[in-house]
Amino acid sequence: MGSSFGKIFRLTTWGESHGPALGVVIEGVPAGIKIEVGDIQAELARRRVGQSKVTTPRDEKDAAEILSGVFEGRTTGAPVSIITYNKDADSSKYDNLRDVFRPGHADFTYWAKYGHRDHRGGGRSSARETWGRVAAGVFARKILASVGAEVYGYAREIGGIEMQTFDRDEIERNIVRCPDPVAAAAMVDAILAAKEEFDSLGGVVEVRGVNVPPGLGEPTFDRLDALIAQAMMSIPATKGVEIGEGFATARSRGSLNNDAFYAENGRVRTVTNSAGGTLGGISSGEEIVVRVAIKPTSSVAREQQTVDVNLEPRTILVEGRHDPSVVPRAVPVVEAMLAIVLADLLLQNRAARI
Amino acid sequence: MGSSFGKIFRLTTWGESHGPALGVVIEGVPAGIKIEVGDIQAELARRRVGQSKVTTPRDEKDAAEILSGVFEGRTTGAPVSIITYNKDADSSKYDNLRDVFRPGHADFTYWAKYGHRDHRGGGRSSARETWGRVAAGVFARKILASVGAEVYGYAREIGGIEMQTFDRDEIERNIVRCPDPVAAAAMVDAILAAKEEFDSLGGVVEVRGVNVPPGLGEPTFDRLDALIAQAMMSIPATKGVEIGEGFATARSRGSLNNDAFYAENGRVRTVTNSAGGTLGGISSGEEIVVRVAIKPTSSVAREQQTVDVNLEPRTILVEGRHDPSVVPRAVPVVEAMLAIVLADLLLQNRAARI
Amino acid sequence: MGSSFGKIFRLTTWGESHGPALGVVIEGVPAGIKIEVGDIQAELARRRVGQSKVTTPRDEKDAAEILSGVFEGRTTGAPVSIITYNKDADSSKYDNLRDVFRPGHADFTYWAKYGHRDHRGGGRSSARETWGRVAAGVFARKILASVGAEVYGYAREIGGIEMQTFDRDEIERNIVRCPDPVAAAAMVDAILAAKEEFDSLGGVVEVRGVNVPPGLGEPTFDRLDALIAQAMMSIPATKGVEIGEGFATARSRGSLNNDAFYAENGRVRTVTNSAGGTLGGISSGEEIVVRVAIKPTSSVAREQQTVDVNLEPRTILVEGRHDPSVVPRAVPVVEAMLAIVLADLLLQNRAARI
Amino acid sequence: MGSSFGKIFRLTTWGESHGPALGVVIEGVPAGIKIEVGDIQAELARRRVGQSKVTTPRDEKDAAEILSGVFEGRTTGAPVSIITYNKDADSSKYDNLRDVFRPGHADFTYWAKYGHRDHRGGGRSSARETWGRVAAGVFARKILASVGAEVYGYAREIGGIEMQTFDRDEIERNIVRCPDPVAAAAMVDAILAAKEEFDSLGGVVEVRGVNVPPGLGEPTFDRLDALIAQAMMSIPATKGVEIGEGFATARSRGSLNNDAFYAENGRVRTVTNSAGGTLGGISSGEEIVVRVAIKPTSSVAREQQTVDVNLEPRTILVEGRHDPSVVPRAVPVVEAMLAIVLADLLLQNRAARI
């Protein structure tokens, strides 16, 4: 259970890191959306490994095939199935991890839950699963585009280095996806230094929803905030999520934190946006602003203390090539999840009034 | 849509702040749980208004009636319906808010979404809705107790004052529910000072799951982390959630952040608990540690700038008596939501293996 | 689990036959529907006991209260909660049934499933649960009315007597709700005769959806046919359901059974309607025609052989006053369920195209 | 929407008749089930085209690949993805059907719903979709086998010829899957005669659940009867479903229809089984007996009257090779759906008691 997300626009991902293939099935994609496989491939390229010196040099072709739900370049309303085949990955390097639990990974908890697990590369718990989310996100983005809305994200902070300036155009110009080129350069240095020290860095991804119409979000448990939180915290390596001023509001006062309303061009607007675009769990029309805490990669090329399935102490050295920081590659995943939440709520909202 | 939460243990809350009644229906409560209405009433007393000088002096009787699903003191497996009638609240003070949007509240967004709204006391968006969550939480706690698990929470921080010591026994001894009596006294002072300044304070609630068995959580989207995040961010006034070290992991390193495994008494344990009791979205058996950011109460007794439904500028003064900080009363709600998530996952986990 | 139905328009019923109250919570009711409690009461009167000499003379007031989701005469989009209190029913006559299983009833199976059960009047398995369905159906009918569609039903057959003529206006003129007044009179006689023989009769309810727009139904598992079948077979005492020519198609030929298409007034129509208004699980715009088999009431005032919870043989005589045939009172329930299915699919269909 | 079925054991099918591939993703398969692809292939062979002279001579290889959720011969708890590639089917014969609606098919209703459709071989509405159900059914059968339960089905009636004797061993010995060899021979003759007349025949599939434990089924809407009805009526070409005595109970009397209880070997049994193994929507432990009405194949090689997308009258002759009766091939699909319903309810039932 638990591999599906969404009520109308509903995706189900499947596949293991070293299994034959991975994929996603998306139900509830409205008919009539123009799509081609290149749209998906372009987005997948942003989360690919090996795209720069700050990502793992592994090579995954990630070629997407659309197997259903699209006919003559447009969606039909039928479930959309998208698949990618894993190339013949060398799983032998995981042989020595078959019975041992890597710290920071899901090895132990999957074993505790299921008794039986695919230990190769994390199996189902691998972040490779997010491939399908990014593919599904392309459809979600197109649904949002139909009302003029879009999402975009960036690395706000890596290894304690926070951006100080903001230029949206800068984001895709640097390999860490930071809107501040100076901070970006420092982030790159920090990542490469951590890599040399056989260590890894965490960071914060910020994502925004722009031109999102007011009214999205379903009280009470499917508040926009709640679904965003679920979506973000379902991404591997995330440990926190906040919206608008987030944890800073805990130290603020009502008189400062409330966003005053005014009218502009026939629309209700707020002077400030402490709330991050959502009031009472429903979008206000202001920018949706979300930050996601990403932990440092658990796979570090150092000796670590652990135990095996027989509860015997073991010392392990996790081999393989891993991202010294997953933040840059997490950006398109975080974006995809925000797009998916918003697209689903946009479709749900069509039933809000008689 | 969106008023239900959970897959097996599934609650649906209903009711408006100033409607005739509020309630909750809980499906999937296993048969055979011993319960009496007093168990529920005791827990509801912890979220009641008027319980101390730091909460609103409003008076709500909050008397719970169990209308179904319990027979001769035990649950039957049928849906449990619990109700409370609103006393004849004076709604007239809201008359002047019928067409105007209070800053920080859901007035505008509900109007944008539905066109038609119950403006009295926030209607459906009122935090009064959480009554049903606390009532449902009592059943969830009993499910957890059947495996020896429990949840408890406290105010970790209010108005920028953070607890410095921890004594679980202190929590219910002070009116802000802080485990540090010194910090508690300072928090009380801060709240009363804010009240005199017609202002309000936010804070951080921390909640823990103790003796939670390993294996709870359903990959991929129903990770324990993801469901906790949804649950917490569905509570009114929440703006952020983090698990374990949370946002601090963004500034950490893999070598520090990984929790090493060891064996103790035939169980797999971790030396540290940066992860907050969850790995790969599944409980590890260590304490589950969650923090929730609570914004300062939006209702402050000051003049605020806003607009009305005709987009005309308006100055309003929100009357009525409100909590200068909802943090102390949020504690039992946050606890209830964690208990609900864990109870549902515990029941789901019964199907994990053949 | 299992007390909820629908994806967008989603009802959850709760309550036991002899508990304090019964009710229904409906999520996903679009905002802006004009409703008053009298609309609901009028429909509930059609399923009430004691309405005629062919129904049980028990008296249930069935007074409905709307507790949420409606404000100033219109729905708000919030969950609608409707409740009725059971009057002080005399449960003492069920005391001797506490440990014994009535043939044809759910006593044994609930005991087998839950171990613990409310034995009074069938508890949760009582047909009294359908009260909430009829109440919810009123909202569904209003959603259908917004596109000009409606549902109506009638007794097609009781005790082997089948209607031979059809006049819709006759349906509510006779106490068995048969569109053929001659057959109706015979049905009444048959029911009264069965009653005198301490026996009971089954029958067939037919229900039609009129002016239902084409396009309703979600392939693959949520076909219109499939959801109708689930809805109907979830009503107590139903044992079969068929659509259009139903079981007769099993003896037909493709050349006869196919409905030829033609165009009329800019619409695609079919010359015949063997299919009963659905093709490939999606409404065609032709009348939806459904028949439901209702078994004879299980409670008959005769001695019956059974066993008790200790597996000891017992002879029981089920006391209490019961409908000698539930078919007339099943008509509004069957109608309600068809309306609910169609309303939900109508709302879902709003998301069918971009 | 609507391509998923089940709450815990939940399958999602995808794919079109003439698309590149079809498949199924199954969530909620418990870990630890032994499975190999041959188990699936064997069952798929029973629904294959071209298996005998009464089925269409088309050739579909139907080779199944398991792409996820199984590791070293056992399920892992992760979603199971199974796929089959369509061989290069010749879709050109459907070119003349691009804009015209075949009577009895979903062409018109899909067009009405989605505006845009894959017209080749019925696209999503093709019975080829049931491939994935049969594949998923293999896992469901293994779950049932873990408690000693099984399902099996047969052709009870084809073209008005009904079986008169019952020998389970006969079922797979004849090409129509009828337990009565004499009736089977007559059915074969009738099908071949219909084929020569360019016509088609319907029939009735009966399916049984054996050794199903008591207690399966979730009141109120997820009654065993209701889910069976939904499952069966979601299969293409079905027009009716009945359980136990079904429509015959409508003509029976309570005194005859009730099944008396007795005790045998420490179990509660019923003397008769009019109810077909379910009471109050919950399995009783008696055999579950379900009958499904299958309409005659809509594709008949005769000229038929219809209209096109411009509402112009058209005469069409549906080419291609089709089953003159789908009943024999429907048997494994009906079985699979019963197995799926029961397996899901078996897993759900694990949460019935504390």
Side-chain angles (χ1 to χ4, degrees):
Chain A
M1 296 172 76
S3 288
S4 296
F5 184 76
K7 288 217 169 155
I8 291 183
F9 185 93
R10 181 172 176 87
L11 60 153
T12 302
T13 69
W14 57 267
E16 285 83 49
S17 178
H18 286 242
L22 292 103
V24 62
V25 179
I26 323 166
E27 287 190 83
V29 182
I33 297 174
K34 284 187 188 167
I35 190 97
E36 47 189 78
V37 75
D39 301 333
I40 299 170
Q41 211 66 60
E43 198 52 37
L44 288 169
R46 296 179 65 223
R47 80 164 278 293
R48 262 195 72 196
V49 294
Q51 60 183 268
S52 79
K53 63 185 173 184
V54 297
T55 64
T56 162
R58 275 181 289 136
D59 187 23
E60 292 164 352
K61 281 289 171 285
D62 273 3
E65 287 176 74
I66 302 175
L67 297 179
S68 68
V70 176
F71 182 61
E72 297 182 342
R74 285 191 297 150
T75 56
T76 63
V80 174
S81 176
I82 315 174
I83 196 173
T84 193
Y85 282 86
N86 287 324
K87 57 170 202 168
D88 285 357
D90 178 16
S91 303
S92 62
K93 68 183 171 192
Y94 290 99
D95 282 353
N96 63 329
L97 295 174
R98 174 184 281 270
D99 294 327
V100 70
F101 307 132
R102 292 170 298 165
H105 282 282
D107 301 343
F108 164 61
T109 52
Y110 269 64
W111 176 80
K113 185 179 187 74
Y114 297 116
H116 172 59
R117 72 190 172 93
D118 180 350
H119 65 282
R120 302 165 306 168
R124 178 66 185 156
S125 71
S126 167
R128 184 141 173 71
E129 175 272 337
T130 61
W131 183 92
R133 307 188 189 203
V134 171
V138 175
F139 292 80
R141 287 171 193 262
K142 286 180 179 267
I143 293 168
L144 294 180
S146 75
V147 298
E150 64 166 331
V151 300
Y152 73 96
Y154 43 87
R156 183 180 179 89
E157 181 182 332
I158 292 180
I161 300 159
E162 194 169 4
M163 71 179 204
Q164 303 299 323
T165 63
F166 179 86
D167 179 354
R168 182 171 169 184
D169 291 339
E170 281 295 331
I171 297 171
E172 296 292 325
R173 282 189 197 137
N174 61 71
I175 58 178
V176 286
R177 296 201 167 89
C178 177
D180 170 353
V182 178
M187 289 171 179
V188 171
D189 289 348
I191 293 173
L192 295 178
K195 188 180 176 183
E196 286 197 13
E197 295 161 21
F198 304 108
D199 216 335
S200 62
L201 299 180
V204 176
V205 172
E206 189 164 84
V207 64
R208 290 168 180 265
V210 185
N211 290 329
V212 175
L216 306 195
E218 298 290 322
T220 305
F221 296 103
D222 291 352
R223 288 171 184 245
L224 177 52
D225 317 56
L227 293 180
I228 288 173
Q230 181 190 3
M232 296 310 164
M233 293 286 270
S234 76
I235 301 171
T238 55
K239 297 304 289 184
V241 60
E242 56 181 10
I243 294 181
E245 293 298 312
F247 275 87
T249 64
R251 288 123 215 169
S252 185
R253 298 182 146 237
S255 58
L256 296 170
N257 190 60
N258 285 350
D259 301 310
F261 288 113
Y262 72 105
E264 184 184 70
N265 300 325
R267 274 181 58 199
V268 173
R269 301 291 311 272
T270 60
V271 179
T272 47
N273 187 20
S274 297
T278 161
L279 283 167
I282 299 175
S283 64
S284 66
E286 299 299 319
E287 264 192 18
I288 292 168
V289 183
V290 181
R291 276 179 302 284
V292 183
I294 310 283
K295 73 174 183 179
T297 315
S298 298
S299 294
V300 288
R302 295 183 178 202
E303 285 203 340
Q304 295 183 84
Q305 297 306 312
T306 188
V307 295
D308 64 19
V309 295
N310 300 312
L311 274 61
E312 294 300 320
R314 294 274 292 266
T315 302
I316 60 163
L317 179 67
V318 180
E319 295 176 69
R321 295 179 291 187
H322 302 279
D323 290 275
S325 176
V326 295
V327 174
R329 290 179 56 216
V331 169
V333 180
V334 168
E335 288 173 356
M337 291 310 300
L338 180 59
I340 286 165
V341 167
L342 291 171
D344 188 26
L345 290 173
L346 189 68
L347 294 173
Q348 288 184 46
N349 202 43
R350 291 187 181 177
R353 300 190 193 189
I354 192 67
Chain B
M1 296 171 75
S3 289
S4 297
F5 184 76
K7 289 217 167 153
I8 291 183
F9 184 93
R10 182 173 175 85
L11 61 154
T12 302
T13 68
W14 57 267
E16 285 84 49
S17 177
H18 286 242
L22 292 104
V24 63
V25 179
I26 322 166
E27 287 190 82
V29 182
I33 297 174
K34 285 186 187 167
I35 190 99
E36 46 190 78
V37 75
D39 301 332
I40 299 170
Q41 210 67 59
E43 198 51 38
L44 288 169
R46 297 178 64 222
R47 81 165 277 294
R48 263 195 70 197
V49 293
Q51 61 184 268
S52 78
K53 63 185 174 183
V54 297
T55 65
T56 163
R58 274 180 290 136
D59 186 23
E60 291 163 353
K61 282 287 170 287
D62 274 4
E65 287 176 74
I66 302 175
L67 297 179
S68 68
V70 176
F71 181 63
E72 298 182 343
R74 285 191 297 149
T75 56
T76 63
V80 174
S81 177
I82 315 174
I83 196 172
T84 192
Y85 281 85
N86 286 324
K87 54 170 204 168
D88 283 357
D90 177 17
S91 304
S92 62
K93 68 183 171 192
Y94 290 98
D95 281 353
N96 63 330
L97 295 174
R98 175 184 280 270
D99 295 327
V100 69
F101 307 132
R102 290 171 299 165
H105 281 282
D107 301 344
F108 164 61
T109 52
Y110 269 65
W111 176 80
K113 184 177 187 75
Y114 297 116
H116 172 59
R117 70 189 173 94
D118 180 350
H119 65 283
R120 302 166 304 167
R124 179 66 183 155
S125 71
S126 167
R128 182 139 174 73
E129 175 272 336
T130 61
W131 182 91
R133 305 187 190 204
V134 171
V138 175
F139 292 81
R141 287 171 194 261
K142 285 182 181 266
I143 293 168
L144 294 180
S146 75
V147 297
E150 64 167 331
V151 300
Y152 73 96
Y154 44 86
R156 182 178 182 90
E157 182 181 332
I158 292 179
I161 300 160
E162 194 169 3
M163 71 180 205
Q164 303 299 324
T165 62
F166 179 85
D167 178 354
R168 183 172 168 183
D169 291 338
E170 281 295 332
I171 297 171
E172 295 293 326
R173 284 189 196 137
N174 61 71
I175 58 178
V176 287
R177 298 203 165 87
C178 178
D180 170 354
V182 178
M187 289 171 179
V188 171
D189 290 347
I191 293 173
L192 296 177
K195 188 179 175 183
E196 287 196 12
E197 295 160 22
F198 304 108
D199 215 336
S200 61
L201 299 180
V204 176
V205 172
E206 190 164 82
V207 64
R208 288 169 181 264
V210 185
N211 289 330
V212 175
L216 305 196
E218 297 290 320
T220 304
F221 296 104
D222 290 352
R223 287 171 184 246
L224 177 52
D225 317 56
L227 293 179
I228 288 173
Q230 181 191 2
M232 297 309 164
M233 294 286 270
S234 76
I235 300 171
T238 54
K239 297 304 288 184
V241 60
E242 58 180 10
I243 295 180
E245 292 299 311
F247 275 87
T249 64
R251 288 122 214 169
S252 185
R253 297 183 147 237
S255 57
L256 296 170
N257 190 60
N258 286 348
D259 301 311
F261 288 113
Y262 72 105
E264 185 184 69
N265 301 328
R267 274 181 57 201
V268 173
R269 301 291 311 271
T270 60
V271 178
T272 46
N273 188 19
S274 298
T278 159
L279 284 167
I282 298 175
S283 64
S284 66
E286 300 299 319
E287 263 192 18
I288 293 170
V289 183
V290 182
R291 278 179 300 285
V292 183
I294 311 283
K295 72 174 184 180
T297 316
S298 297
S299 292
V300 288
R302 296 183 177 201
E303 285 204 340
Q304 295 183 85
Q305 297 305 312
T306 188
V307 296
D308 64 19
V309 295
N310 300 313
L311 275 60
E312 294 300 320
R314 295 274 292 268
T315 302
I316 61 163
L317 180 67
V318 180
E319 296 176 69
R321 294 180 290 188
H322 302 280
D323 290 276
S325 177
V326 295
V327 174
R329 289 179 57 217
V331 170
V333 180
V334 168
E335 287 173 357
M337 291 310 299
L338 181 59
I340 287 165
V341 167
L342 291 171
D344 188 28
L345 290 173
L346 190 67
L347 295 174
Q348 287 185 48
N349 202 42
R350 291 188 182 176
R353 301 191 192 187
I354 193 64
Chain C
M1 297 173 75
S3 288
S4 296
F5 184 75
K7 290 217 168 155
I8 291 183
F9 184 93
R10 181 172 176 87
L11 60 153
T12 302
T13 69
W14 57 267
E16 286 83 49
S17 178
H18 285 244
L22 292 102
V24 63
V25 178
I26 323 166
E27 286 189 83
V29 183
I33 297 175
K34 285 186 188 168
I35 190 96
E36 47 189 79
V37 75
D39 301 333
I40 299 170
Q41 210 66 61
E43 198 51 37
L44 288 169
R46 296 178 64 222
R47 82 165 275 295
R48 263 195 69 196
V49 293
Q51 62 183 268
S52 80
K53 63 185 174 184
V54 298
T55 64
T56 162
R58 275 180 291 135
D59 187 21
E60 291 163 355
K61 283 288 170 284
D62 274 4
E65 287 176 74
I66 303 175
L67 296 180
S68 68
V70 175
F71 181 62
E72 298 183 344
R74 284 191 297 149
T75 56
T76 63
V80 174
S81 176
I82 315 173
I83 196 172
T84 193
Y85 281 85
N86 286 326
K87 53 170 205 170
D88 285 357
D90 178 17
S91 303
S92 61
K93 69 183 171 192
Y94 289 99
D95 282 353
N96 63 330
L97 296 174
R98 174 183 281 268
D99 294 327
V100 70
F101 307 132
R102 291 170 298 164
H105 282 283
D107 301 344
F108 164 60
T109 52
Y110 269 65
W111 176 81
K113 185 178 187 73
Y114 297 115
H116 172 59
R117 71 190 173 93
D118 179 351
H119 65 282
R120 302 165 305 168
R124 179 64 185 156
S125 71
S126 167
R128 183 140 173 73
E129 176 272 336
T130 61
W131 183 91
R133 306 187 189 205
V134 171
V138 175
F139 291 80
R141 288 171 193 261
K142 286 183 179 265
I143 293 168
L144 294 179
S146 75
V147 297
E150 64 167 330
V151 301
Y152 72 96
Y154 43 87
R156 182 178 181 90
E157 182 182 332
I158 292 179
I161 299 160
E162 193 169 4
M163 71 179 204
Q164 303 298 323
T165 62
F166 179 86
D167 179 355
R168 182 171 169 184
D169 292 338
E170 281 294 333
I171 298 170
E172 296 293 326
R173 283 190 195 137
N174 61 71
I175 57 178
V176 287
R177 298 203 165 87
C178 179
D180 170 354
V182 178
M187 289 171 179
V188 171
D189 290 348
I191 293 173
L192 296 178
K195 188 180 175 182
E196 287 197 10
E197 294 161 21
F198 304 108
D199 215 336
S200 62
L201 298 180
V204 176
V205 172
E206 189 164 84
V207 63
R208 288 169 181 265
V210 185
N211 289 330
V212 175
L216 305 195
E218 297 291 321
T220 304
F221 295 104
D222 290 352
R223 287 170 185 246
L224 177 52
D225 317 57
L227 293 180
I228 287 173
Q230 182 191 2
M232 297 308 166
M233 294 285 270
S234 75
I235 300 171
T238 54
K239 297 305 287 184
V241 60
E242 57 181 9
I243 294 179
E245 292 299 312
F247 275 88
T249 63
R251 288 122 215 168
S252 185
R253 298 184 146 236
S255 58
L256 295 170
N257 189 61
N258 286 349
D259 301 309
F261 288 112
Y262 73 105
E264 185 184 70
N265 300 328
R267 275 182 55 201
V268 173
R269 301 290 313 269
T270 61
V271 178
T272 47
N273 187 19
S274 298
T278 160
L279 284 167
I282 299 175
S283 65
S284 67
E286 299 299 319
E287 263 193 18
I288 292 169
V289 184
V290 182
R291 277 177 301 284
V292 183
I294 310 282
K295 72 174 183 180
T297 316
S298 298
S299 293
V300 289
R302 296 182 178 202
E303 286 203 340
Q304 295 183 86
Q305 296 307 312
T306 187
V307 295
D308 64 19
V309 295
N310 301 312
L311 274 61
E312 294 300 319
R314 294 274 291 266
T315 302
I316 60 164
L317 181 66
V318 181
E319 296 176 68
R321 295 179 290 188
H322 302 280
D323 290 276
S325 176
V326 296
V327 174
R329 288 180 57 216
V331 169
V333 180
V334 168
E335 288 173 355
M337 291 310 299
L338 181 59
I340 287 165
V341 167
L342 291 171
D344 188 27
L345 290 173
L346 190 68
L347 295 174
Q348 287 184 49
N349 202 42
R350 291 187 181 177
R353 300 191 193 188
I354 193 66
Chain D
M1 296 172 76
S3 288
S4 296
F5 184 77
K7 290 219 167 152
I8 291 183
F9 185 93
R10 181 172 176 86
L11 60 153
T12 303
T13 68
W14 57 267
E16 285 83 48
S17 177
H18 285 243
L22 292 103
V24 64
V25 179
I26 323 166
E27 287 190 82
V29 182
I33 297 174
K34 285 187 187 167
I35 190 97
E36 46 190 78
V37 75
D39 301 333
I40 299 169
Q41 210 66 60
E43 198 52 38
L44 288 169
R46 296 179 63 223
R47 80 164 278 293
R48 263 195 71 197
V49 294
Q51 60 183 268
S52 79
K53 64 185 173 183
V54 297
T55 64
T56 164
R58 274 180 291 135
D59 187 23
E60 292 163 354
K61 283 288 171 286
D62 274 3
E65 287 177 74
I66 302 174
L67 296 179
S68 68
V70 176
F71 181 62
E72 299 183 341
R74 285 191 296 150
T75 56
T76 63
V80 174
S81 175
I82 314 173
I83 195 173
T84 192
Y85 282 85
N86 287 324
K87 55 170 202 168
D88 285 356
D90 179 17
S91 303
S92 62
K93 67 184 172 191
Y94 289 100
D95 282 353
N96 63 330
L97 296 174
R98 173 184 282 269
D99 294 327
V100 69
F101 306 132
R102 292 170 299 164
H105 281 282
D107 300 344
F108 164 60
T109 52
Y110 269 65
W111 176 81
K113 184 177 188 76
Y114 297 115
H116 172 59
R117 71 189 173 94
D118 179 351
H119 65 282
R120 302 165 307 167
R124 178 66 185 156
S125 71
S126 167
R128 183 141 174 71
E129 175 272 337
T130 60
W131 183 93
R133 307 187 188 203
V134 171
V138 175
F139 291 80
R141 288 170 194 261
K142 285 181 180 268
I143 292 168
L144 295 180
S146 75
V147 296
E150 64 167 330
V151 301
Y152 72 96
Y154 44 86
R156 182 177 182 91
E157 181 181 332
I158 293 179
I161 299 160
E162 193 169 3
M163 70 179 205
Q164 303 298 323
T165 63
F166 179 85
D167 177 354
R168 183 172 168 183
D169 291 338
E170 282 294 332
I171 297 171
E172 295 293 325
R173 282 188 197 139
N174 61 71
I175 58 178
V176 286
R177 298 201 165 87
C178 178
D180 169 353
V182 178
M187 289 171 180
V188 171
D189 289 347
I191 293 173
L192 296 178
K195 187 180 176 183
E196 286 197 13
E197 294 160 22
F198 305 107
D199 216 336
S200 62
L201 298 179
V204 176
V205 173
E206 190 164 83
V207 64
R208 289 168 181 264
V210 185
N211 289 330
V212 175
L216 305 196
E218 298 289 321
T220 304
F221 295 104
D222 290 352
R223 285 170 186 247
L224 176 53
D225 317 56
L227 293 180
I228 288 173
Q230 181 191 4
M232 296 310 165
M233 293 287 269
S234 76
I235 301 171
T238 55
K239 297 304 288 184
V241 61
E242 58 181 9
I243 294 179
E245 292 299 313
F247 275 88
T249 63
R251 287 122 215 167
S252 185
R253 298 183 146 238
S255 57
L256 296 170
N257 191 60
N258 285 349
D259 301 311
F261 288 113
Y262 72 104
E264 183 183 69
N265 300 326
R267 275 182 56 201
V268 173
R269 300 291 312 271
T270 61
V271 178
T272 47
N273 188 18
S274 297
T278 160
L279 283 167
I282 298 175
S283 64
S284 66
E286 299 299 319
E287 264 193 18
I288 292 168
V289 184
V290 182
R291 278 177 300 284
V292 184
I294 311 283
K295 74 175 183 179
T297 316
S298 297
S299 293
V300 289
R302 296 183 177 202
E303 286 204 338
Q304 296 182 85
Q305 296 307 311
T306 188
V307 296
D308 63 20
V309 295
N310 300 312
L311 274 61
E312 293 300 320
R314 295 273 292 266
T315 302
I316 60 164
L317 181 66
V318 180
E319 295 176 69
R321 294 179 291 188
H322 302 279
D323 290 275
S325 176
V326 295
V327 174
R329 289 179 58 217
V331 169
V333 180
V334 168
E335 288 173 356
M337 291 311 299
L338 181 58
I340 287 164
V341 167
L342 291 172
D344 188 26
L345 290 173
L346 190 67
L347 295 175
Q348 288 184 46
N349 202 43
R350 291 186 182 178
R353 302 191 191 187
I354 193 64

